[in-house]
Amino acid sequence: LASPHSYPSLPPPPLSSNKKLPVNSINLDFAAAFTKAHAEVVARKEIQSLILTSSCNSIFSAGLDIKEMHNPEPVRLREFWTAFQGLYLELYGSRLATIAAIEGHSPAGGCLIAMCCDYRIMSNTEKFKIGLNETKLGIAAPFWMGELLVQTVGVREAELALGLGKLYSPSEALKVGLVDEIQNPEDVKAKAQEWAAVWAGIPEMARNKSKDITRRAKINELTDRREEDLEWFADMVMQEGVQQNLTAYLESLKKKKK
Ligand code: CO8
């Protein structure tokens, strides 16, 4: 936001392919486009805060596109993970004050995007869910995603949530501090704008040095361990048992519809 009185709205990041993303899932193309769009906003020095929201009805983001991990082509799999690591590093360390306006479901990678933001407002519609549900898919979150949950809700709550793959309702998420406030669906965007103006009013240098206190070490750690994390991810995904679990999970999503 340039000032508390003007709220320019940016279009969604253009995707290079025509592949439809009906649930705002994060595929290679999306991760790259998101990071590029963020960098373009960061470069506009007059902008101090950014609201992340979704144009999908009832879904903030369905997390990583499971199809990127299902029977993957190894080179693309690595590109995909590198792009997702990049998205996290840019957003978590953004010079902008970032506000998540979570108007729908936000599992796994969607929850990561929300946790990267400085402030989270979720719709109070109880059927919407947010959390890191990776174990339910038979996979584990990478260390940096798990640690971000620890940073956000504390060690014991994160231990339970990661192990059980817990998805929280908005009121549960508020209780453990996974989101900062919940609002009626029609008020989420307006509240996000109010908070974006508040954050934009804090002097940038002071805001960013403060952000560094809790985030810089985490960002440096993944930067140093990026290759190791990539190998960890590729090894896990290529396991036969993991592929079977992903097949079953994708089928369960399809069956749910019938
Ligand atoms: N990836 C790919 N396709 C998806 C995804 C996804 N994440 N989510 C939904 N879809 C597909 C569905 O299969 C369905 O496809 P089709 O139309 O062909 O049948 C279509 O999108 C619409 O989905 P729904 O009908 O389920 O839509 P609803 O509005 O009813 O529900 C939900 C929306 C709640 C988001 C629901 O789709 C859902 O629960 N999706 C799965 C979300 C999920 O579990 N994501 C986790 C992804 S893993 C991740 O992000 C992190 C992994 C990091 C660690 C990796 C280490 C190995």
PDB file of all heavy atoms in Angstrom, residues 143-157:
ATOM      1  N   PHE A 143      11.873 -29.335   7.139  1.00  0.00           N
ATOM      2  CA  PHE A 143      12.205 -28.787   8.461  1.00  0.00           C
ATOM      3  C   PHE A 143      11.773 -27.319   8.590  1.00  0.00           C
ATOM      4  O   PHE A 143      11.293 -26.884   9.633  1.00  0.00           O
ATOM      5  CB  PHE A 143      13.707 -28.964   8.757  1.00  0.00           C
ATOM      6  CG  PHE A 143      14.618 -28.017   8.041  1.00  0.00           C
ATOM      7  CD1 PHE A 143      14.949 -26.787   8.592  1.00  0.00           C
ATOM      8  CD2 PHE A 143      15.165 -28.344   6.798  1.00  0.00           C
ATOM      9  CE1 PHE A 143      15.793 -25.902   7.918  1.00  0.00           C
ATOM     10  CE2 PHE A 143      16.003 -27.471   6.127  1.00  0.00           C
ATOM     11  CZ  PHE A 143      16.319 -26.246   6.690  1.00  0.00           C
ATOM     12  N   TRP A 144      11.913 -26.552   7.503  1.00  0.00           N
ATOM     13  CA  TRP A 144      11.641 -25.106   7.600  1.00  0.00           C
ATOM     14  C   TRP A 144      10.161 -24.820   7.735  1.00  0.00           C
ATOM     15  O   TRP A 144       9.754 -23.857   8.376  1.00  0.00           O
ATOM     16  CB  TRP A 144      12.264 -24.347   6.419  1.00  0.00           C
ATOM     17  CG  TRP A 144      12.136 -25.013   5.071  1.00  0.00           C
ATOM     18  CD1 TRP A 144      12.933 -26.005   4.578  1.00  0.00           C
ATOM     19  CD2 TRP A 144      11.148 -24.750   4.065  1.00  0.00           C
ATOM     20  NE1 TRP A 144      12.506 -26.363   3.310  1.00  0.00           N
ATOM     21  CE2 TRP A 144      11.422 -25.602   2.966  1.00  0.00           C
ATOM     22  CE3 TRP A 144      10.078 -23.864   3.968  1.00  0.00           C
ATOM     23  CZ2 TRP A 144      10.653 -25.612   1.808  1.00  0.00           C
ATOM     24  CZ3 TRP A 144       9.317 -23.855   2.808  1.00  0.00           C
ATOM     25  CH2 TRP A 144       9.609 -24.723   1.739  1.00  0.00           C
ATOM     26  N   MET A 145       9.349 -25.694   7.160  1.00  0.00           N
ATOM     27  CA  MET A 145       7.901 -25.513   7.291  1.00  0.00           C
ATOM     28  C   MET A 145       7.467 -25.899   8.713  1.00  0.00           C
ATOM     29  O   MET A 145       6.688 -25.198   9.359  1.00  0.00           O
ATOM     30  CB  MET A 145       7.206 -26.420   6.271  1.00  0.00           C
ATOM     31  CG  MET A 145       5.877 -25.944   5.809  1.00  0.00           C
ATOM     32  SD  MET A 145       5.048 -27.214   4.826  1.00  0.00           S
ATOM     33  CE  MET A 145       5.167 -26.584   3.230  1.00  0.00           C
ATOM     34  N   GLY A 146       8.021 -27.024   9.190  1.00  0.00           N
ATOM     35  CA  GLY A 146       7.703 -27.475  10.547  1.00  0.00           C
ATOM     36  C   GLY A 146       8.149 -26.446  11.575  1.00  0.00           C
ATOM     37  O   GLY A 146       7.420 -26.133  12.521  1.00  0.00           O
ATOM     38  N   GLU A 147       9.360 -25.897  11.368  1.00  0.00           N
ATOM     39  CA  GLU A 147       9.868 -24.918  12.332  1.00  0.00           C
ATOM     40  C   GLU A 147       9.061 -23.622  12.315  1.00  0.00           C
ATOM     41  O   GLU A 147       8.931 -22.952  13.338  1.00  0.00           O
ATOM     42  CB  GLU A 147      11.356 -24.633  12.065  1.00  0.00           C
ATOM     43  CG  GLU A 147      12.225 -25.777  12.547  1.00  0.00           C
ATOM     44  CD  GLU A 147      13.704 -25.593  12.247  1.00  0.00           C
ATOM     45  OE1 GLU A 147      14.093 -24.509  11.781  1.00  0.00           O
ATOM     46  OE2 GLU A 147      14.453 -26.552  12.482  1.00  0.00           O
ATOM     47  N   LEU A 148       8.516 -23.306  11.153  1.00  0.00           N
ATOM     48  CA  LEU A 148       7.681 -22.097  11.095  1.00  0.00           C
ATOM     49  C   LEU A 148       6.397 -22.297  11.916  1.00  0.00           C
ATOM     50  O   LEU A 148       5.910 -21.371  12.565  1.00  0.00           O
ATOM     51  CB  LEU A 148       7.362 -21.744   9.628  1.00  0.00           C
ATOM     52  CG  LEU A 148       6.569 -20.459   9.375  1.00  0.00           C
ATOM     53  CD1 LEU A 148       7.123 -19.271  10.143  1.00  0.00           C
ATOM     54  CD2 LEU A 148       6.555 -20.144   7.889  1.00  0.00           C
ATOM     55  N   LEU A 149       5.902 -23.536  11.914  1.00  0.00           N
ATOM     56  CA  LEU A 149       4.732 -23.804  12.760  1.00  0.00           C
ATOM     57  C   LEU A 149       5.126 -23.685  14.230  1.00  0.00           C
ATOM     58  O   LEU A 149       4.382 -23.121  15.040  1.00  0.00           O
ATOM     59  CB  LEU A 149       4.153 -25.193  12.450  1.00  0.00           C
ATOM     60  CG  LEU A 149       2.830 -25.493  13.138  1.00  0.00           C
ATOM     61  CD1 LEU A 149       1.702 -24.597  12.608  1.00  0.00           C
ATOM     62  CD2 LEU A 149       2.429 -26.958  12.978  1.00  0.00           C
ATOM     63  N   VAL A 150       6.317 -24.215  14.573  1.00  0.00           N
ATOM     64  CA  VAL A 150       6.810 -24.089  15.951  1.00  0.00           C
ATOM     65  C   VAL A 150       6.907 -22.615  16.338  1.00  0.00           C
ATOM     66  O   VAL A 150       6.462 -22.202  17.412  1.00  0.00           O
ATOM     67  CB  VAL A 150       8.191 -24.779  16.112  1.00  0.00           C
ATOM     68  CG1 VAL A 150       8.794 -24.473  17.478  1.00  0.00           C
ATOM     69  CG2 VAL A 150       8.075 -26.292  15.897  1.00  0.00           C
ATOM     70  N   GLN A 151       7.481 -21.808  15.435  1.00  0.00           N
ATOM     71  CA  GLN A 151       7.616 -20.356  15.688  1.00  0.00           C
ATOM     72  C   GLN A 151       6.248 -19.728  15.944  1.00  0.00           C
ATOM     73  O   GLN A 151       6.117 -18.776  16.687  1.00  0.00           O
ATOM     74  CB  GLN A 151       8.198 -19.634  14.467  1.00  0.00           C
ATOM     75  CG  GLN A 151       9.604 -19.979  14.104  1.00  0.00           C
ATOM     76  CD  GLN A 151      10.589 -18.988  14.695  1.00  0.00           C
ATOM     77  OE1 GLN A 151      11.161 -19.253  15.743  1.00  0.00           O
ATOM     78  NE2 GLN A 151      10.785 -17.856  14.057  1.00  0.00           N
ATOM     79  N   THR A 152       5.241 -20.261  15.245  1.00  0.00           N
ATOM     80  CA  THR A 152       3.924 -19.617  15.257  1.00  0.00           C
ATOM     81  C   THR A 152       3.069 -20.060  16.450  1.00  0.00           C
ATOM     82  O   THR A 152       2.437 -19.231  17.094  1.00  0.00           O
ATOM     83  CB  THR A 152       3.190 -19.913  13.931  1.00  0.00           C
ATOM     84  OG1 THR A 152       4.058 -19.609  12.844  1.00  0.00           O
ATOM     85  CG2 THR A 152       1.919 -19.087  13.787  1.00  0.00           C
ATOM     86  N   VAL A 153       3.053 -21.380  16.737  1.00  0.00           N
ATOM     87  CA  VAL A 153       2.115 -21.857  17.783  1.00  0.00           C
ATOM     88  C   VAL A 153       2.820 -22.462  18.999  1.00  0.00           C
ATOM     89  O   VAL A 153       2.160 -22.839  19.963  1.00  0.00           O
ATOM     90  CB  VAL A 153       1.106 -22.895  17.203  1.00  0.00           C
ATOM     91  CG1 VAL A 153       0.297 -22.292  16.071  1.00  0.00           C
ATOM     92  CG2 VAL A 153       1.795 -24.185  16.752  1.00  0.00           C
ATOM     93  N   GLY A 154       4.152 -22.577  18.960  1.00  0.00           N
ATOM     94  CA  GLY A 154       4.878 -23.163  20.084  1.00  0.00           C
ATOM     95  C   GLY A 154       5.168 -24.646  19.865  1.00  0.00           C
ATOM     96  O   GLY A 154       4.544 -25.303  19.028  1.00  0.00           O
ATOM     97  N   VAL A 155       6.113 -25.141  20.660  1.00  0.00           N
ATOM     98  CA  VAL A 155       6.652 -26.485  20.403  1.00  0.00           C
ATOM     99  C   VAL A 155       5.607 -27.587  20.584  1.00  0.00           C
ATOM    100  O   VAL A 155       5.403 -28.423  19.704  1.00  0.00           O
ATOM    101  CB  VAL A 155       7.861 -26.769  21.320  1.00  0.00           C
ATOM    102  CG1 VAL A 155       8.374 -28.198  21.122  1.00  0.00           C
ATOM    103  CG2 VAL A 155       8.974 -25.773  21.049  1.00  0.00           C
ATOM    104  N   ARG A 156       4.922 -27.610  21.710  1.00  0.00           N
ATOM    105  CA  ARG A 156       4.022 -28.752  21.974  1.00  0.00           C
ATOM    106  C   ARG A 156       2.839 -28.770  21.010  1.00  0.00           C
ATOM    107  O   ARG A 156       2.470 -29.826  20.489  1.00  0.00           O
ATOM    108  CB  ARG A 156       3.546 -28.705  23.433  1.00  0.00           C
ATOM    109  CG  ARG A 156       2.674 -29.885  23.824  1.00  0.00           C
ATOM    110  CD  ARG A 156       3.398 -31.212  23.618  1.00  0.00           C
ATOM    111  NE  ARG A 156       2.518 -32.361  23.829  1.00  0.00           N
ATOM    112  CZ  ARG A 156       2.644 -33.517  23.172  1.00  0.00           C
ATOM    113  NH1 ARG A 156       3.589 -33.692  22.265  1.00  0.00           N
ATOM    114  NH2 ARG A 156       1.821 -34.514  23.428  1.00  0.00           N
ATOM    115  N   GLU A 157       2.270 -27.601  20.778  1.00  0.00           N
ATOM    116  CA  GLU A 157       1.133 -27.540  19.853  1.00  0.00           C
ATOM    117  C   GLU A 157       1.584 -27.980  18.457  1.00  0.00           C
ATOM    118  O   GLU A 157       0.884 -28.728  17.769  1.00  0.00           O
ATOM    119  CB  GLU A 157       0.570 -26.110  19.806  1.00  0.00           C
ATOM    120  CG  GLU A 157      -0.677 -25.946  18.952  1.00  0.00           C
ATOM    121  CD  GLU A 157      -1.890 -26.723  19.470  1.00  0.00           C
ATOM    122  OE1 GLU A 157      -2.052 -26.866  20.699  1.00  0.00           O
ATOM    123  OE2 GLU A 157      -2.681 -27.199  18.617  1.00  0.00           O
TER     124      GLU A 157
END
